[in-house]
Every structure is written in C-alpha cells, then in structure tokens.
Amino acid sequence: MTSTSPSPSLDTAPPAEPGGRWNLRLVAVLIALAWPTQLLAAGGILGANATASVAQSFHTTQVAWFGLTLTLASTLLTPFAIKLGDLYGRKRVMLVMMALGAGGEALAALAGEFWLVLVGRAVAGFYGPFGALSFAAVRDIFPPRLVKPASGIMGSSVGLVALGTPFLAGWLVDNWGYRGALWFLAIATGIAFLLVALLVPRTPRYASAAGFDWLGGLVLGGGLTAVVYAVGQGQSWGWTDARTLGWLAAGIAALVAFLFVERAHAHPILDLRVLRRRPVALALTAGGLAQTVAFTLPGLAILLALFPHIPGVSAGLGWTAQHNAVVSVSWNLVMFGTGLLASRFLRHLDPRKVWIAGLVVMAFGYTLVGFFHGNELELALTSCVANIGSGIVVAGAPVLVVGVVSPEEQGLGSGMLNMLISLFGAIVTAGAYALLNAHSTVVDGTAFYQDAGYAWVFWLGALVTLLALALSLFIPPLSDPEADDAVPA
C-alpha cells in the first residue's frame, strides 16, 4: 500500500472467515449490495423513459429539471455521504439514504404539481451517492481474497440491468405513465432497504465525529454542482451566454476555494493528501473517463435508434422503443457476461493488464460503431465488440480503486470516482450534442441529426477511451487486498 489515511479505524468489523471462500451468506450480502447499487442505473433508464410523460402530464417546457434536479442533489450530497460513512459506518448511512430515496420517489409519484415533483426528485437525490458507499462496504465486509471478484461482479451487473430495464420501462410508462416508473423505484428502493438491513453486517467506522467539515462539504459539493449545471445547460443556453459562463466561473471559484478551506480545517471532509498521490489520481481519472464512456454512450445511441429515418433530413434508424430493447439484448448480454468473466480473471491476473485490454477493445469497438451502425446487424455486431470492452471496464474500475487506496480511504476513493463520473458524464454528453447539432437539419423547430453527427458521437467515445488508456499506462503496480492485513471483513 502506498500510504494510509491519518485517521485510524475506530471501530472494526468481525474478523475474516478462515479461507475466505464463497458461501451462501456472502452471496446473499453481495446480492443485497448489488441490488440497490444497480438500481441507480435502472433509475436512470426509467427516468429517461418517463420524461416525455412528465412533460405531457404537466404541460411544462422545463421537463429537463425532472432528471437534472436529482443529478444536482446527488452531486451536492456526495462529499457528505462519503464523510458520514466514515463517521457512522457505511451500512447506517446507506439505510438512511435508501429511506430518503424511497420517500422522495413516492412524493414525486403522488405530486399533483410539477414543482412538487421536483421536490420529490431532489429528496430522491439523497440516494444518488449510494454507489460510493456500497463498493467501499464490499471491502469492509468481504474476506480479502474475495474483494476483487466481488467488486467486479458488482460493477458488471450493470449489464444485467441494461438488459431488462428497457422492457420494464416501456411496460410501466405505457400502462401507468411516469407515475408507474416512480412507484416502481420507490418500491424497489424499499426492498433494497430491507435487503441491506437484514443481510448486510455491521460496517466499521474510520473517523472521529469531532469537527465535521460542513463548510468544506458545501463548497466542494456546491462547486461540482455548479460546474455540472453549467455544462448541462450550456447546449441550450449557448456556451458564451452569461448564465453559462457565470455558473461555470462560480463552480471553478468554489473548487479553488475548497483547496484553501481544507488546508485550514483539522478534520477535512476529503483528505487531499490521498488525492495528491500519483497512483490514486491516475486510477480515479482513468476510471472516471472510461466508466463515463461505458455508461453514457449506450444512452446516446438510443437517439440513433429512436429518431426517424428521413432521407436527407434525419439519419435515425426509426425504431420503436420496444424494438430497440429487443435488439440491444445482444450487446447487453455480452457486457454482463464479459464483466462476470473479467471478475474471475481480475483475481488471478494483474488487474492493470486486464483493465488496459478492456480499454483497447472498447476504443476499437466504438471506432467500429462509428463506421457501421446503419441497421440491426451492423449495430449489434459493432456494439457487441464495444461492450466486450465495457464489461471489462465496469468490472475493473472498482478494482483499480481497491488497488491504490487503503481500507480507511476506500470510501473517499469510491466517492471521488462517482463525482468524476458525474462531471465527465456532463462534459461528454454536452460534447456529443454539440457534434450532433453541428451535423443537423432543423425542420419546424426540431433538430434532426445527420449520419456524420452520430458517427462522431461514437468516435468521441473512442477518443475519451484512448485518453483513459494513455493515463492507465502510467498506473504503477496495484496493491492486493489479500496481502493487506488491515482489511476488516
């Protein structure tokens, strides 16, 4: 291990089981952690499918806030979730987050006014940082030799979610509108609460409750939120608009101020000494960039599938949502299967080599998608190649974090990875829409995208992946949790 956090563990979990082999209890714990973690991905898909129903139900032109409110609340709260997990144990904080998430979605489902829907979504945003704590909890709970495969399985199960959620979203929204999607999220989050409460054991505390850095959390969370908001709105406002530049400047100023605030505080909300270490900085940046591509590009590809095919006007494929769900089964199965296989290899091989191989395949795959995406067969074949790499990436990113931080720093590492994915996701999405708009035709106020725009979106994914690959080449050998006697289980 390169170094450890200055805060020693204040509360240790029960000792590891002899031998550290899989058993029914550990499988149940993994399911209990994976269900609510991947519910985040399912919520994104359900929310995207419910957006049109929200706009029509409330006759609003501000429907973008339906998703943006949750994203901004989640970004603001992530630093606090990381620190509170260290202070009170991750299980306790996760239970509070799930209770608030379920309540927020229920409030949004019951709301009769659009502003109250947004209030509910803001409360549901408390659930957003869950992934930052769940991957850290894997290291708290599992025997050292199972940390890497368990983390890999947790990450790769997003492929299984992507496989079934589009069908679920269509059924819920077609039959019950946006309320059906929100009620499903509320009930599923309630089930997740029970799974964690009943199956996940106590997790340790890693910090003293003295001197909580509220100011640091607000400055960091507010700065990140302002930047994400500016980037998210820049395409509609215009990149030179005073509002875009103002929010962006305010966010950057807050992030700079955060560096000085943390130096002056005896108990900083984020230990910046950890982030100054080269292996940590490289692993988090490369992991954030690569996972952004793996999570963002499939959503952008939905535009290609669902936009109409009008020769000379629109180069979309003109599929229905149901047809797109059927076709996408192929590459989502590939992603899930590859992730499970990678989880096995990550335990026995150098994780850096597995990770780099995944990046190479993902970059090559999205390059192919950019050239060949004109029909079902082309898109399925090229997307399967890309998702071989994506499966390795989503399984490998948590293992990268495990390999560069100590157990005490795991929550910080996972939380920073989540924050970077949010930030990079906003930037990549904005860049993708800029490319689409540069190759578009406007008819009756609606922009229809040309084939060159779709091609460049996929090539953008390949370029970002290559950037992650370049950074990954400089990551030094990773620590092995099996050799770390400090890991509680």
PDB file of all heavy atoms in Angstrom, residues 253-265 272:
ATOM      1  N   ALA A 253     -14.503  28.714  -9.133  1.00  0.00           N
ATOM      2  CA  ALA A 253     -14.047  29.508  -7.990  1.00  0.00           C
ATOM      3  C   ALA A 253     -14.282  28.751  -6.681  1.00  0.00           C
ATOM      4  O   ALA A 253     -13.431  28.767  -5.773  1.00  0.00           O
ATOM      5  CB  ALA A 253     -14.779  30.848  -7.965  1.00  0.00           C
ATOM      6  N   ALA A 254     -15.438  28.065  -6.569  1.00  0.00           N
ATOM      7  CA  ALA A 254     -15.727  27.296  -5.362  1.00  0.00           C
ATOM      8  C   ALA A 254     -14.746  26.137  -5.199  1.00  0.00           C
ATOM      9  O   ALA A 254     -14.287  25.839  -4.085  1.00  0.00           O
ATOM     10  CB  ALA A 254     -17.166  26.778  -5.399  1.00  0.00           C
ATOM     11  N   LEU A 255     -14.398  25.462  -6.296  1.00  0.00           N
ATOM     12  CA  LEU A 255     -13.462  24.342  -6.213  1.00  0.00           C
ATOM     13  C   LEU A 255     -12.068  24.824  -5.808  1.00  0.00           C
ATOM     14  O   LEU A 255     -11.361  24.141  -5.054  1.00  0.00           O
ATOM     15  CB  LEU A 255     -13.410  23.612  -7.557  1.00  0.00           C
ATOM     16  CG  LEU A 255     -14.702  22.897  -7.963  1.00  0.00           C
ATOM     17  CD1 LEU A 255     -14.562  22.270  -9.341  1.00  0.00           C
ATOM     18  CD2 LEU A 255     -15.075  21.829  -6.943  1.00  0.00           C
ATOM     19  N   VAL A 256     -11.661  25.987  -6.297  1.00  0.00           N
ATOM     20  CA  VAL A 256     -10.371  26.554  -5.885  1.00  0.00           C
ATOM     21  C   VAL A 256     -10.419  26.930  -4.403  1.00  0.00           C
ATOM     22  O   VAL A 256      -9.482  26.657  -3.637  1.00  0.00           O
ATOM     23  CB  VAL A 256     -10.017  27.774  -6.758  1.00  0.00           C
ATOM     24  CG1 VAL A 256      -8.773  28.482  -6.209  1.00  0.00           C
ATOM     25  CG2 VAL A 256      -9.789  27.354  -8.202  1.00  0.00           C
ATOM     26  N   ALA A 257     -11.525  27.552  -3.991  1.00  0.00           N
ATOM     27  CA  ALA A 257     -11.671  27.917  -2.584  1.00  0.00           C
ATOM     28  C   ALA A 257     -11.646  26.690  -1.684  1.00  0.00           C
ATOM     29  O   ALA A 257     -11.136  26.735  -0.552  1.00  0.00           O
ATOM     30  CB  ALA A 257     -12.979  28.692  -2.387  1.00  0.00           C
ATOM     31  N   PHE A 258     -12.172  25.571  -2.179  1.00  0.00           N
ATOM     32  CA  PHE A 258     -12.197  24.342  -1.397  1.00  0.00           C
ATOM     33  C   PHE A 258     -10.785  23.902  -1.002  1.00  0.00           C
ATOM     34  O   PHE A 258     -10.565  23.408   0.114  1.00  0.00           O
ATOM     35  CB  PHE A 258     -12.892  23.236  -2.199  1.00  0.00           C
ATOM     36  CG  PHE A 258     -12.776  21.874  -1.584  1.00  0.00           C
ATOM     37  CD1 PHE A 258     -13.506  21.552  -0.463  1.00  0.00           C
ATOM     38  CD2 PHE A 258     -11.935  20.916  -2.140  1.00  0.00           C
ATOM     39  CE1 PHE A 258     -13.396  20.294   0.114  1.00  0.00           C
ATOM     40  CE2 PHE A 258     -11.823  19.666  -1.572  1.00  0.00           C
ATOM     41  CZ  PHE A 258     -12.560  19.351  -0.444  1.00  0.00           C
ATOM     42  N   LEU A 259      -9.822  24.086  -1.902  1.00  0.00           N
ATOM     43  CA  LEU A 259      -8.451  23.696  -1.596  1.00  0.00           C
ATOM     44  C   LEU A 259      -7.924  24.446  -0.372  1.00  0.00           C
ATOM     45  O   LEU A 259      -7.236  23.866   0.478  1.00  0.00           O
ATOM     46  CB  LEU A 259      -7.550  23.971  -2.804  1.00  0.00           C
ATOM     47  CG  LEU A 259      -7.921  23.242  -4.105  1.00  0.00           C
ATOM     48  CD1 LEU A 259      -6.971  23.656  -5.218  1.00  0.00           C
ATOM     49  CD2 LEU A 259      -7.879  21.738  -3.909  1.00  0.00           C
ATOM     50  N   PHE A 260      -8.271  25.723  -0.251  1.00  0.00           N
ATOM     51  CA  PHE A 260      -7.810  26.523   0.888  1.00  0.00           C
ATOM     52  C   PHE A 260      -8.607  26.210   2.151  1.00  0.00           C
ATOM     53  O   PHE A 260      -8.053  26.191   3.254  1.00  0.00           O
ATOM     54  CB  PHE A 260      -7.917  28.011   0.544  1.00  0.00           C
ATOM     55  CG  PHE A 260      -6.995  28.434  -0.564  1.00  0.00           C
ATOM     56  CD1 PHE A 260      -7.433  28.499  -1.882  1.00  0.00           C
ATOM     57  CD2 PHE A 260      -5.668  28.755  -0.307  1.00  0.00           C
ATOM     58  CE1 PHE A 260      -6.590  28.878  -2.909  1.00  0.00           C
ATOM     59  CE2 PHE A 260      -4.808  29.133  -1.325  1.00  0.00           C
ATOM     60  CZ  PHE A 260      -5.269  29.194  -2.635  1.00  0.00           C
ATOM     61  N   VAL A 261      -9.917  25.963   1.990  1.00  0.00           N
ATOM     62  CA  VAL A 261     -10.748  25.622   3.139  1.00  0.00           C
ATOM     63  C   VAL A 261     -10.255  24.335   3.791  1.00  0.00           C
ATOM     64  O   VAL A 261     -10.159  24.233   5.024  1.00  0.00           O
ATOM     65  CB  VAL A 261     -12.227  25.478   2.706  1.00  0.00           C
ATOM     66  CG1 VAL A 261     -13.065  24.900   3.848  1.00  0.00           C
ATOM     67  CG2 VAL A 261     -12.782  26.828   2.278  1.00  0.00           C
ATOM     68  N   GLU A 262      -9.914  23.329   2.973  1.00  0.00           N
ATOM     69  CA  GLU A 262      -9.494  22.038   3.522  1.00  0.00           C
ATOM     70  C   GLU A 262      -8.151  22.133   4.237  1.00  0.00           C
ATOM     71  O   GLU A 262      -7.916  21.445   5.225  1.00  0.00           O
ATOM     72  CB  GLU A 262      -9.411  20.996   2.390  1.00  0.00           C
ATOM     73  CG  GLU A 262     -10.760  20.647   1.810  1.00  0.00           C
ATOM     74  CD  GLU A 262     -11.730  20.144   2.868  1.00  0.00           C
ATOM     75  OE1 GLU A 262     -11.730  18.945   3.174  1.00  0.00           O
ATOM     76  OE2 GLU A 262     -12.482  20.976   3.416  1.00  0.00           O
ATOM     77  N   ARG A 263      -7.247  22.973   3.747  1.00  0.00           N
ATOM     78  CA  ARG A 263      -5.953  23.134   4.403  1.00  0.00           C
ATOM     79  C   ARG A 263      -6.099  23.721   5.805  1.00  0.00           C
ATOM     80  O   ARG A 263      -5.296  23.429   6.691  1.00  0.00           O
ATOM     81  CB  ARG A 263      -5.063  24.054   3.558  1.00  0.00           C
ATOM     82  CG  ARG A 263      -4.552  23.426   2.280  1.00  0.00           C
ATOM     83  CD  ARG A 263      -3.665  24.405   1.518  1.00  0.00           C
ATOM     84  NE  ARG A 263      -3.189  23.834   0.263  1.00  0.00           N
ATOM     85  CZ  ARG A 263      -2.426  24.498  -0.603  1.00  0.00           C
ATOM     86  NH1 ARG A 263      -2.068  25.753  -0.348  1.00  0.00           N
ATOM     87  NH2 ARG A 263      -2.032  23.925  -1.727  1.00  0.00           N
ATOM     88  N   ALA A 264      -7.143  24.530   5.996  1.00  0.00           N
ATOM     89  CA  ALA A 264      -7.311  25.218   7.273  1.00  0.00           C
ATOM     90  C   ALA A 264      -8.120  24.412   8.281  1.00  0.00           C
ATOM     91  O   ALA A 264      -8.223  24.807   9.445  1.00  0.00           O
ATOM     92  CB  ALA A 264      -7.987  26.578   7.044  1.00  0.00           C
ATOM     93  N   HIS A 265      -8.704  23.293   7.865  1.00  0.00           N
ATOM     94  CA  HIS A 265      -9.591  22.533   8.757  1.00  0.00           C
ATOM     95  C   HIS A 265      -8.863  21.323   9.331  1.00  0.00           C
ATOM     96  O   HIS A 265      -8.163  20.605   8.621  1.00  0.00           O
ATOM     97  CB  HIS A 265     -10.837  22.079   8.007  1.00  0.00           C
ATOM     98  CG  HIS A 265     -12.001  21.817   8.900  1.00  0.00           C
ATOM     99  ND1 HIS A 265     -12.112  20.692   9.679  1.00  0.00           N
ATOM    100  CD2 HIS A 265     -13.121  22.556   9.158  1.00  0.00           C
ATOM    101  CE1 HIS A 265     -13.246  20.731  10.359  1.00  0.00           C
ATOM    102  NE2 HIS A 265     -13.875  21.865  10.061  1.00  0.00           N
ATOM    103  N   LEU A 272      -7.108  15.554   1.124  1.00  0.00           N
ATOM    104  CA  LEU A 272      -6.478  15.873  -0.156  1.00  0.00           C
ATOM    105  C   LEU A 272      -5.100  15.258  -0.294  1.00  0.00           C
ATOM    106  O   LEU A 272      -4.598  15.118  -1.413  1.00  0.00           O
ATOM    107  CB  LEU A 272      -6.396  17.394  -0.325  1.00  0.00           C
ATOM    108  CG  LEU A 272      -7.745  18.120  -0.415  1.00  0.00           C
ATOM    109  CD1 LEU A 272      -7.537  19.617  -0.561  1.00  0.00           C
ATOM    110  CD2 LEU A 272      -8.569  17.583  -1.573  1.00  0.00           C
TER     111      LEU A 272
END
